Amino acid sequence: KFREFFSFARRVMALAGVTVLELAGIGPGPLAACVLADFGADVITIVRVSRNKKGEAVVDSEPSTLGRGKRSIAIDLKSKEGVATVLKL
């Protein structure tokens, strides 16, 4: 019955079918995206990737409770390929 309830709840969520890209890493952005996810939106968090002095990719984020209900993808926003990927999303 528990699974049936959540299956039903997902279908009747106010923002079901809406996709949101979260680009804000700090401040009210992650909290707002969390609320949107709670109302059924498909939230995709864009995690920034930077390069260290050795040229290795480093993810600039740490997990938190505000990540619940969201999907995430790490993208280097300083590269042309990264920008193109965000625009496709």
Side-chain angles (χ1 to χ4, degrees), residues 2-70:
F2 188 71
R3 285 184 184 214
E4 291 174 20
F5 170 76
F6 273 101
S7 175
F8 172 76
R10 271 287 186 210
R11 284 182 275 149
V12 296
M13 298 295 261
L15 296 177
V18 175
T19 301
V20 177
L21 291 180
E22 178 200 332
L23 293 166
I26 59 171
L31 179 59
C34 187
V35 171
L36 293 172
D38 289 344
F39 280 99
D42 179 22
V43 179
I44 302 170
T45 301
I46 307 298
V47 180
R48 289 171 180 81
V49 175
S50 60
R51 302 280 174 184
N52 63 15
K53 292 181 181 180
K54 296 179 182 178
E56 301 167 331
V58 179
V59 177
D60 295 337
S61 177
E62 44 186 79
S64 74
T65 57
L66 295 178
R68 73 175 187 268
K70 302 178 192 177

